[in-house]
Amino acid sequence: MNKFAVVTDSAADIPSDLAQRYDIRIVPLHVVMGDTDYRDGEDINTAQLLKLMKDAESLPRTSQPTPGDFLEVYKQLFTEGYREVLSIHLSRALSSTIESARGIAHEIPEGCRLEVVDSCSATVGQGAMVLEAAQVAQAGGTLDEALERVLAIRSAHAIHFVPDTLENLVKGGRATKMQGLLTSLLNIKIVVGLAADGSIDVEHKAKGIKGAISYMVKAVGRFVEEHGPAVCYVLHTNAAAKAQSIADALARAGVKARVITEATIGPVIATHVGEGACGVFCYPEALHAPELDDIAAYLTPEF
């Protein structure tokens, strides 16, 4: 058995088969459409959500797990014999999920250790931290070694993505109606990133998707200049051709950034960015375990 257990929430967008392979426990967030409450990743996937949103008049709501949801998972792990748990979660700037996890710290049995970490990230950024921690556990490493790697990635990673339209961000209150109208009329693509605290940050306004991809490639280049060679995921919501264009543009630019997989933006984040979004996530190669190079077979999405 691993020396410690790894827990996350479904916003990390880790497929169930990959979670099973690395013994990652996932607590689902919820996506609510009308009177129906779906457990993210269990009752609904990205393809199903996008189909439902096409017919919906209003944007689905998302909600965090309850403290009881986390307590159930932690108690199960302690029952299995674990005495240490590393729990890595969606940015506090985007959701109160981490507060639910922290809220039951007083329930942890004496002699057990629970470390709850704000990833200051989302989707595959959060997911990469979880996977790296789980790989440390599987290799027989300690919780402190995993925590050190997670915090290092948290301080040196970047996500840049481009919604196809601002419609969902407008509905969700993260962009104004005027911004949505102007970008639609002028074919302006907004490149969005995550700030240091994990909040959404408008980085750049580009003319068309080619201009947006050019900006993202240059941003990855600047990241490499600062942090050294990087590993990358390209990510999307039913926009595989755009994701491939990003990978191709990185290759043409000669940036020392190795694309290891294509990933789906999961239901919780897809609720806000909508269909047709694409982007790139990167972190230093020096913080990447080579054993994780084969995750491509697990993260490549199907629509």
Side-chain angles (χ1 to χ4, degrees), residues 155-213:
S155 66
H157 79 282
I159 298 177
H160 313 279
F161 62 93
V162 184
D164 189 47
T165 75
L166 293 187
E167 181 179 357
N168 284 42
L169 289 172
V170 168
K171 288 180 179 178
R174 288 178 167 82
T176 68
K177 290 183 178 180
M178 183 59 70
Q179 286 174 321
L181 178 61
L182 290 177
T183 56
S184 176
L185 291 175
L186 300 175
N187 190 29
I188 299 297
K189 295 297 181 183
I190 303 296
V191 181
V192 178
L194 294 180
D197 66 351
S199 59
I200 291 177
D201 184 28
V202 174
E203 295 184 356
H204 184 71
K205 296 178 182 178
K207 184 67 174 179
I209 189 63
K210 289 184 178 180
I213 290 174

Side-chain angles (χ1 to χ4, degrees), residues 198-264:
S199 59
I200 291 177
D201 184 28
V202 174
E203 295 184 356
H204 184 71
K205 296 178 182 178
K207 184 67 174 179
I209 189 63
K210 289 184 178 180
I213 290 174
S214 175
Y215 170 84
M216 289 190 287
V217 169
K218 290 176 182 176
V220 173
R222 291 191 294 271
F223 182 92
V224 168
E225 289 177 1
E226 181 177 357
H227 299 285
V231 291
C232 297
Y233 298 12
V234 291
L235 58 155
H236 68 95
T237 49
N238 201 18
K242 292 179 184 177
Q244 186 60 52
S245 293
I246 296 171
D248 293 343
L250 283 168
R252 287 195 302 271
V255 178
K256 291 184 178 179
R258 184 166 60 93
V259 176
I260 60 173
T261 193
E262 175 187 328
T264 300

Side-chain angles (χ1 to χ4, degrees), residues 8-274:
T8 191
D9 56 73
S10 60
D13 295 339
I14 296 175
S16 59
D17 49 4
L18 191 56
Q20 290 171 8
R21 177 180 177 183
Y22 283 95
D23 195 22
I24 298 164
R25 311 300 168 95
I26 300 176
V27 181
L29 278 80
H30 296 259
V31 177
V32 182
M33 298 194 69
D35 296 326
T36 306
D37 187 329
Y38 300 95
R39 291 169 299 175
D40 176 26
E42 295 184 11
D43 302 324
I44 193 168
N45 60 31
T46 304
Q48 292 166 336
L49 174 72
L50 295 176
K51 186 175 185 300
L52 288 173
M53 284 200 299
K54 285 181 178 178
D55 301 324
E57 293 183 1
S58 58
L59 192 68
R61 293 178 290 111
T62 58
S63 62
Q64 69 266 23
T66 67
D69 292 333
F70 283 102
L71 184 59
E72 182 179 348
V73 171
Y74 297 149
K75 280 187 172 180
Q76 177 61 38
L77 288 167
F78 295 134
T79 298
E80 292 175 16
Y82 288 100
R83 289 295 173 265
E84 294 186 325
V85 176
L86 178 57
S87 205
I88 304 166
H89 297 292
L90 175 62
S91 167
R92 176 64 184 84
L94 300 177
S95 168
S96 296
T97 295
I98 194 168
E99 300 304 334
S100 292
R102 287 173 172 163
I104 49 82
H106 62 285
E107 300 278 359
I108 301 305
E110 187 176 350
C112 294
R113 178 186 180 189
L114 170 65
E115 291 284 348
V116 180
V117 178
D118 183 347
S119 71
C120 295
S121 194
T123 187
V124 294
Q126 175 189 345
M129 295 178 211
V130 174
L131 287 166
E132 293 285 355
Q135 193 282 323
V136 171
Q138 197 169 82
T142 67
L143 187 152
D144 286 324
E145 289 171 336
L147 182 59
E148 181 180 6
R149 186 178 298 183
V150 166
L151 295 180
I153 296 171
R154 185 177 74 175
S155 66
H157 79 282
I159 298 177
H160 313 279
F161 62 93
V162 184
D164 189 47
T165 75
L166 293 187
E167 181 179 357
N168 284 42
L169 289 172
V170 168
K171 288 180 179 178
R174 288 178 167 82
T176 68
K177 290 183 178 180
M178 183 59 70
Q179 286 174 321
L181 178 61
L182 290 177
T183 56
S184 176
L185 291 175
L186 300 175
N187 190 29
I188 299 297
K189 295 297 181 183
I190 303 296
V191 181
V192 178
L194 294 180
D197 66 351
S199 59
I200 291 177
D201 184 28
V202 174
E203 295 184 356
H204 184 71
K205 296 178 182 178
K207 184 67 174 179
I209 189 63
K210 289 184 178 180
I213 290 174
S214 175
Y215 170 84
M216 289 190 287
V217 169
K218 290 176 182 176
V220 173
R222 291 191 294 271
F223 182 92
V224 168
E225 289 177 1
E226 181 177 357
H227 299 285
V231 291
C232 297
Y233 298 12
V234 291
L235 58 155
H236 68 95
T237 49
N238 201 18
K242 292 179 184 177
Q244 186 60 52
S245 293
I246 296 171
D248 293 343
L250 283 168
R252 287 195 302 271
V255 178
K256 291 184 178 179
R258 184 166 60 93
V259 176
I260 60 173
T261 193
E262 175 187 328
T264 300
I265 299 172
V268 167
I269 305 303
T271 296
H272 302 290
V273 301

